[in-house]
Structure formats: C-alpha cells, structure tokens
Amino acid sequence: MTDPVTSNHGQNPSTRVVERTFPHPPEKLWRALTESQFLAQWMMNNDFQPVPGHKFQFRSDPAPNWNGIVDCEVLVVEPQKRLSYNWGVAENLQWVVLWTLTPTENGTHLRMEQSGFTPDQQQAYNGANYGWQRFLTNLEQLLPNLN
C-alpha cells in the first residue's frame, strides 16, 4: 500500500478527503466496502445493503457526546466504481460519504470524501481525519485475508 494521503482537494474546508492505493483489485475492495460482515470487521457493526434508498446504521460503543450510532442511507451504488451514503450522528451533524475506486496498474486507488462540514464543525472535521485513517488502516489489515 502507498502512503496515505489526506488532503483538501480544491481547498474546500467543507470536505475531508482521504486516499490510499491498495495492492488489491477493485473487486476485493468493493466486497470490503459493501458486504456487511466485512464492513463490520474494519469499520463498525452495521446492517448495510448496497441498494440505493436503503436506510442503515453503523453501530459502535457509545462515547462522550455520542450514542455510538451513525444513521445512514445509501445514495449511489456503481459496482466496483462508486458508493455513496449519507452519514448522520445527530440532527445537526449530517454529511455525505463518497467512495471512489480507480483501478491502477498494481491494484486500486481508493478515495474517500466526507462532505458537508460547516465552519462551526471544526472538531468534527478534525475527528473525521482521525477516524477515517484508523478505519483505512483496519481495511488494509483485512484485505489480504479477504477471499
């Protein structure tokens, strides 16, 4: 895997972007992104289904100021290319997550964009970077064992 890249493409402070290139084909990453049992291994427990309009939750242990639940709805499913869902942790904390998979000569470039941050959400914006880096490190560890 190449070094992770965290950026703000286009200098848009309302969007957090994290990118990594994995030495695995898009099909393998797609399974990790869209099959509930694999999502649970690298992100959070969930009832995800890759069907536009499907409402689902990611569930984790509660933390201070958070009940551990992320309410989501699938927005876009383009197999092995793009996946998007909204991501809400409270009524006033709502974002959109977009995953983009691009085949490379030696694997797949994965781009995650979390958009919709407002100027008063700097703490959530910074926390998103920590969270996504941790999730993608977990994903990196899962992929070699995914058949």
Coordinates of all heavy atoms in Angstrom, one line a residue, residues 47-95:
D47 N -26.0 -2.8 9.4 CA -27.0 -3.5 8.7 C -27.1 -3.0 7.2 O -28.1 -2.9 6.6 CB -28.4 -3.5 9.4 CG -28.9 -2.1 9.6 OD1 -28.1 -1.1 9.5 OD2 -30.1 -1.9 9.9
F48 N -25.9 -2.8 6.7 CA -25.7 -2.2 5.3 C -26.2 -3.2 4.2 O -25.9 -4.4 4.3 CB -24.3 -1.8 5.1 CG -24.0 -1.3 3.7 CD1 -24.2 0.0 3.4 CD2 -23.5 -2.1 2.7 CE1 -24.0 0.5 2.1 CE2 -23.3 -1.6 1.4 CZ -23.5 -0.3 1.1
Q49 N -26.8 -2.6 3.2 CA -27.1 -3.4 2.0 C -26.8 -2.4 0.8 O -27.2 -1.2 0.9 CB -28.5 -3.8 1.9 CG -28.9 -4.9 2.9 CD -30.4 -5.2 2.8 OE1 -31.0 -5.0 1.8 NE2 -30.9 -5.8 3.9
P50 N -26.1 -2.8 -0.2 CA -25.7 -1.9 -1.3 C -26.9 -1.7 -2.3 O -26.9 -2.0 -3.5 CB -24.6 -2.6 -2.0 CG -24.8 -4.1 -1.8 CD -25.5 -4.1 -0.4
V51 N -28.0 -1.0 -1.7 CA -29.2 -0.8 -2.5 C -29.5 0.7 -2.3 O -29.8 1.1 -1.2 CB -30.3 -1.7 -2.0 CG1 -31.6 -1.3 -2.7 CG2 -30.0 -3.1 -2.2
P52 N -29.6 1.5 -3.4 CA -30.0 2.9 -3.2 C -31.3 3.0 -2.5 O -32.3 2.3 -2.7 CB -30.1 3.4 -4.7 CG -29.1 2.6 -5.4 CD -29.3 1.2 -4.8
G53 N -31.3 3.9 -1.5 CA -32.5 4.2 -0.7 C -32.5 3.3 0.6 O -33.3 3.6 1.5
H54 N -31.6 2.3 0.7 CA -31.6 1.5 1.9 C -31.1 2.3 3.1 O -30.1 2.9 3.0 CB -30.7 0.3 1.7 CG -30.6 -0.5 3.0 ND1 -31.6 -1.3 3.5 CD2 -29.5 -0.7 3.8 CE1 -31.2 -1.9 4.6 NE2 -29.9 -1.6 4.8
K55 N -31.9 2.4 4.2 CA -31.5 3.1 5.4 C -30.9 2.0 6.3 O -31.4 0.9 6.5 CB -32.7 3.7 6.1 CG -33.3 4.8 5.2 CD -34.4 5.5 5.9 CE -34.9 6.7 5.0 NZ -36.0 7.4 5.5
F56 N -29.7 2.4 6.9 CA -29.0 1.5 7.7 C -28.3 2.3 8.8 O -28.3 3.5 8.8 CB -28.0 0.7 6.9 CG -26.9 1.5 6.3 CD1 -25.6 1.4 6.9 CD2 -27.0 2.2 5.1 CE1 -24.5 2.1 6.4 CE2 -26.0 2.9 4.6 CZ -24.7 2.9 5.2
Q57 N -27.7 1.5 9.7 CA -26.9 2.1 10.8 C -25.5 1.5 10.9 O -25.4 0.3 10.7 CB -27.6 2.0 12.2 CG -28.9 2.8 12.3 CD -29.5 2.6 13.7 OE1 -29.4 1.6 14.3 NE2 -30.2 3.7 14.1
F58 N -24.5 2.3 11.3 CA -23.3 1.8 11.8 C -23.4 1.9 13.3 O -23.9 2.9 13.8 CB -22.1 2.6 11.3 CG -21.7 2.4 9.9 CD1 -21.9 3.4 8.9 CD2 -21.1 1.2 9.5 CE1 -21.5 3.1 7.6 CE2 -20.8 0.9 8.2 CZ -21.0 1.9 7.2
R59 N -22.9 0.9 14.0 CA -23.0 0.9 15.5 C -21.7 0.6 16.1 O -21.0 -0.3 15.7 CB -24.1 -0.1 15.9 CG -25.5 0.2 15.4 CD -26.5 -0.9 15.8 NE -26.2 -2.2 15.2 CZ -26.3 -2.5 13.9 NH1 -26.8 -1.7 13.1 NH2 -26.0 -3.7 13.5
S60 N -21.4 1.5 17.1 CA -20.1 1.3 17.9 C -20.4 1.5 19.3 O -21.6 1.9 19.7 CB -19.1 2.4 17.4 OG -17.9 2.2 18.0
D61 N -19.4 1.4 20.2 CA -19.6 1.6 21.6 C -19.9 3.1 21.8 O -19.2 3.9 21.1 CB -18.4 1.2 22.4 CG -18.2 -0.3 22.4 OD1 -19.2 -1.0 22.3 OD2 -17.0 -0.7 22.5
P62 N -20.8 3.5 22.6 CA -21.1 4.9 22.9 C -19.8 5.6 23.4 O -19.0 4.9 24.1 CB -22.2 4.9 23.9 CG -22.8 3.6 23.7 CD -21.8 2.6 23.3
A63 N -19.7 6.9 23.2 CA -18.6 7.7 23.7 C -19.1 9.0 24.2 O -20.3 9.3 24.0 CB -17.6 7.9 22.5
P64 N -18.4 9.7 24.9 CA -18.9 11.0 25.4 C -19.5 11.9 24.3 O -18.8 12.0 23.2 CB -17.7 11.7 26.0 CG -16.8 10.6 26.5 CD -17.0 9.5 25.4
N65 N -20.7 12.3 24.5 CA -21.4 13.2 23.5 C -21.7 12.4 22.2 O -22.0 13.1 21.2 CB -20.5 14.4 23.1 CG -20.2 15.3 24.3 OD1 -21.1 15.5 25.2 ND2 -19.0 15.7 24.5
W66 N -21.7 11.1 22.2 CA -22.2 10.3 21.0 C -22.7 9.0 21.5 O -22.1 8.3 22.3 CB -21.0 10.1 20.1 CG -21.3 9.4 18.9 CD1 -22.4 9.6 18.0 CD2 -20.6 8.2 18.3 NE1 -22.4 8.7 17.0 CE2 -21.3 7.9 17.1 CE3 -19.5 7.5 18.7 CZ2 -20.9 6.8 16.3 CZ3 -19.1 6.5 17.9 CH2 -19.8 6.1 16.7
N67 N -23.9 8.6 21.0 CA -24.5 7.4 21.4 C -24.0 6.1 20.7 O -24.5 5.0 20.9 CB -26.1 7.5 21.2 CG -26.5 7.6 19.7 OD1 -25.6 7.6 18.8 ND2 -27.8 7.8 19.5
G68 N -23.0 6.3 19.8 CA -22.4 5.2 19.1 C -23.1 4.8 17.8 O -22.8 3.8 17.2
I69 N -24.1 5.5 17.4 CA -24.9 5.2 16.2 C -24.7 6.2 15.1 O -24.8 7.4 15.4 CB -26.4 5.1 16.6 CG1 -26.6 3.9 17.6 CG2 -27.3 4.9 15.3 CD1 -28.1 3.9 18.2
V70 N -24.5 5.7 13.9 CA -24.4 6.6 12.7 C -25.6 6.2 11.8 O -25.7 5.0 11.4 CB -23.1 6.4 12.0 CG1 -23.1 7.3 10.7 CG2 -21.9 6.7 12.9
D71 N -26.5 7.1 11.6 CA -27.7 6.8 10.7 C -27.3 7.2 9.3 O -26.8 8.2 9.0 CB -28.9 7.6 11.2 CG -29.4 7.2 12.5 OD1 -29.7 6.0 12.6 OD2 -29.6 8.0 13.4
C72 N -27.6 6.2 8.4 CA -27.2 6.4 7.0 C -28.3 6.0 6.0 O -29.2 5.3 6.4 CB -26.0 5.5 6.7 SG -24.5 5.8 7.8
E73 N -28.1 6.4 4.8 CA -29.0 6.0 3.7 C -28.1 5.9 2.5 O -27.4 6.9 2.1 CB -30.1 6.9 3.5 CG -31.1 6.5 2.3 CD -32.3 7.4 2.1 OE1 -32.5 8.2 3.0 OE2 -33.0 7.2 1.1
V74 N -28.2 4.8 1.8 CA -27.4 4.6 0.5 C -27.9 5.5 -0.5 O -29.1 5.6 -0.8 CB -27.5 3.1 0.0 CG1 -26.7 3.0 -1.3 CG2 -27.0 2.2 1.1
L75 N -27.0 6.3 -1.2 CA -27.4 7.2 -2.2 C -27.0 6.8 -3.6 O -27.8 6.9 -4.5 CB -26.7 8.6 -1.9 CG -26.9 9.2 -0.6 CD1 -26.1 10.5 -0.4 CD2 -28.4 9.6 -0.5
V76 N -25.8 6.2 -3.8 CA -25.2 5.8 -5.1 C -24.5 4.5 -4.9 O -23.8 4.2 -4.0 CB -24.2 6.8 -5.6 CG1 -23.6 6.4 -6.9 CG2 -24.9 8.2 -5.8
V77 N -24.8 3.6 -5.9 CA -24.1 2.3 -6.0 C -23.8 2.0 -7.4 O -24.7 1.8 -8.2 CB -25.0 1.1 -5.5 CG1 -24.3 -0.2 -5.6 CG2 -25.4 1.3 -4.0
E78 N -22.5 2.2 -7.7 CA -22.0 1.8 -9.1 C -20.9 0.8 -8.8 O -19.8 1.1 -8.5 CB -21.4 3.0 -9.7 CG -22.4 4.1 -10.1 CD -21.7 5.3 -10.8 OE1 -20.6 5.2 -11.3 OE2 -22.3 6.4 -10.7
P79 N -21.3 -0.5 -9.0 CA -20.4 -1.6 -8.6 C -19.0 -1.4 -9.0 O -18.7 -1.2 -10.2 CB -21.0 -2.8 -9.2 CG -22.5 -2.5 -9.2 CD -22.5 -1.0 -9.5
Q80 N -18.1 -1.6 -8.1 CA -16.6 -1.5 -8.3 C -16.1 -0.2 -8.7 O -15.0 0.0 -9.2 CB -16.1 -2.6 -9.2 CG -16.5 -4.0 -8.6 CD -16.2 -5.1 -9.6 OE1 -15.3 -5.0 -10.4 NE2 -16.9 -6.2 -9.5
K81 N -17.0 0.9 -8.6 CA -16.6 2.2 -9.0 C -16.9 3.3 -8.0 O -16.0 4.0 -7.6 CB -17.3 2.6 -10.3 CG -16.8 1.8 -11.5 CD -17.5 2.3 -12.8 CE -17.1 1.4 -14.0 NZ -17.9 1.7 -15.2
R82 N -18.2 3.4 -7.6 CA -18.6 4.4 -6.6 C -19.6 3.9 -5.7 O -20.5 3.2 -6.1 CB -19.1 5.7 -7.4 CG -18.1 6.5 -8.1 CD -18.6 7.8 -8.6 NE -20.0 7.8 -8.9 CZ -20.8 8.9 -8.7 NH1 -20.4 10.0 -8.1 NH2 -22.1 8.8 -9.0
L83 N -19.5 4.4 -4.4 CA -20.5 4.1 -3.4 C -20.7 5.4 -2.6 O -19.7 6.0 -2.2 CB -20.0 2.9 -2.5 CG -20.9 2.6 -1.3 CD1 -22.3 2.1 -1.8 CD2 -20.2 1.6 -0.4
S84 N -21.9 5.8 -2.3 CA -22.1 6.9 -1.5 C -23.3 6.7 -0.6 O -24.3 6.0 -0.9 CB -22.4 8.1 -2.4 OG -22.6 9.3 -1.6
Y85 N -23.2 7.3 0.6 CA -24.3 7.3 1.6 C -24.2 8.5 2.5 O -23.1 9.1 2.6 CB -24.3 6.0 2.4 CG -23.0 5.5 2.9 CD1 -22.3 6.0 4.0 CD2 -22.3 4.4 2.2 CE1 -21.1 5.5 4.5 CE2 -21.1 3.9 2.7 CZ -20.5 4.5 3.8 OH -19.3 4.0 4.2
N86 N -25.4 8.9 3.0 CA -25.3 10.0 4.0 C -24.9 9.4 5.3 O -24.9 8.2 5.5 CB -26.6 10.8 4.0 CG -27.8 10.0 4.5 OD1 -27.7 9.0 5.1 ND2 -29.0 10.5 4.1
W87 N -24.4 10.3 6.2 CA -23.7 9.9 7.4 C -24.2 10.9 8.5 O -23.8 12.0 8.4 CB -22.2 9.9 7.2 CG -21.3 9.6 8.4 CD1 -21.0 10.4 9.4 CD2 -20.6 8.4 8.6 NE1 -20.1 9.8 10.2 CE2 -19.8 8.5 9.7 CE3 -20.5 7.2 7.9 CZ2 -19.0 7.6 10.2 CZ3 -19.7 6.2 8.3 CH2 -18.9 6.4 9.5
G88 N -25.0 10.4 9.4 CA -25.5 11.4 10.4 C -25.4 10.8 11.8 O -25.7 9.7 12.1
V89 N -24.8 11.7 12.7 CA -24.6 11.3 14.1 C -25.4 12.1 15.0 O -25.5 11.8 16.2 CB -23.1 11.4 14.5 CG1 -22.3 10.4 13.7 CG2 -22.5 12.8 14.3
A90 N -26.1 13.1 14.5 CA -27.0 13.9 15.3 C -27.8 14.7 14.3 O -27.5 14.8 13.1 CB -26.3 14.8 16.3
E91 N -28.9 15.3 14.7 CA -29.7 16.1 13.8 C -28.9 17.2 13.1 O -29.2 17.4 11.9 CB -30.9 16.7 14.6 CG -32.0 17.2 13.7 CD -33.2 17.6 14.4 OE1 -33.8 16.7 15.1 OE2 -33.7 18.8 14.3
N92 N -28.0 17.8 13.7 CA -27.2 18.9 13.1 C -25.9 18.4 12.6 O -25.1 19.3 12.2 CB -27.1 20.1 14.1 CG -26.3 19.7 15.3 OD1 -26.2 18.5 15.7 ND2 -25.7 20.6 16.0
L93 N -25.6 17.2 12.7 CA -24.3 16.6 12.2 C -24.6 15.6 11.1 O -24.6 14.4 11.3 CB -23.5 16.0 13.3 CG -23.1 17.0 14.4 CD1 -22.4 16.2 15.6 CD2 -22.1 18.1 13.9
Q94 N -24.7 16.1 9.9 CA -25.1 15.3 8.7 C -24.1 15.5 7.6 O -23.8 16.7 7.3 CB -26.5 15.7 8.2 CG -27.6 15.5 9.3 CD -28.0 14.1 9.5 OE1 -28.0 13.3 8.5 NE2 -28.3 13.7 10.7
W95 N -23.6 14.5 7.0 CA -22.6 14.6 6.0 C -22.9 13.6 4.9 O -23.8 12.7 5.0 CB -21.2 14.4 6.5 CG -20.8 15.3 7.6 CD1 -20.5 16.6 7.5 CD2 -20.8 15.0 9.0 NE1 -20.2 17.1 8.7 CE2 -20.4 16.2 9.7 CE3 -21.0 13.8 9.7 CZ2 -20.3 16.2 11.1 CZ3 -20.8 13.9 11.1 CH2 -20.5 15.1 11.8

